[in-house]
Amino acid sequence: MSRFSNINKHMVTLLILMMWVGEFSSVITVDATRHVRIINELGEGYVLTIHCKSKDDDLGVHDLSYQKYFEWGFHDNLWGTTLFFCRIQWRNADVYFDIYDEKRDRFGCCEHWWAAKMDALYSVNPKTGAATKAWLRWHGN
């Protein structure tokens, strides 16, 4: 009976190892350097203040005048849980937004551009520079 017990232990160990390798390889195949850019398109005289962080990195506070941007690059982590969030402030708006969420963004392109406009925060097509979708409407504006 101990012989079957040892076989079962080895099979369970092998199965766990195969599942882990499968998960690891799926992350590796899509891993690429990611770039996030946030641009102020609010208009002349409006300053956009952003403070972006992840669990491990605080990117600091940045005051962006009209048509200025802040950007950074990174790699997704091995666990598939990379998340950067930002506090975004201007005039009466003071909101938080997950600017990069690996679960949402990992299968898209490696460039994740955002534009703050008068009515909302938009995703931007990096090839054309055109705003494509309003993701977050400002509160109180």
Side-chain angles (χ1 to χ4, degrees), residues 97-140:
F97 182 70
D98 292 342
I99 207 80
Y100 180 84
D101 181 346
E102 185 174 354
K103 289 176 178 51
R104 179 191 69 207
D105 301 323
R106 80 185 280 188
F107 294 109
C109 77
C110 297
E111 303 292 325
H112 302 276
W113 289 13
W114 301 91
K117 295 180 176 277
M118 291 300 281
D119 62 332
L121 180 69
Y122 287 83
S123 55
V124 174
N125 181 323
K127 293 180 180 161
T128 65
T132 57
K133 178 182 176 182
W135 282 80
L136 177 68
R137 300 273 177 202
W138 308 123
H139 302 288

Side-chain angles (χ1 to χ4, degrees), residues 53-85:
K53 299 178 180 183
S54 72
K55 178 182 170 191
D56 301 315
D57 299 298
D58 184 337
L59 303 178
V61 176
H62 300 272
D63 294 321
L64 306 177
S65 56
Y66 180 57
Q67 294 187 332
K68 299 297 180 189
Y69 62 86
F70 174 68
E71 67 181 352
W72 71 96
F74 56 93
H75 289 277
D76 290 333
N77 66 35
L78 294 177
W79 299 272
T81 59
T82 303
L83 175 70
F84 280 92
F85 61 93

Side-chain angles (χ1 to χ4, degrees), residues 24-36:
F24 181 74
S25 7
S26 70
V27 172
I28 293 299
T29 57
V30 297
D31 186 39
T33 300
R34 308 291 184 174
H35 298 275
V36 172

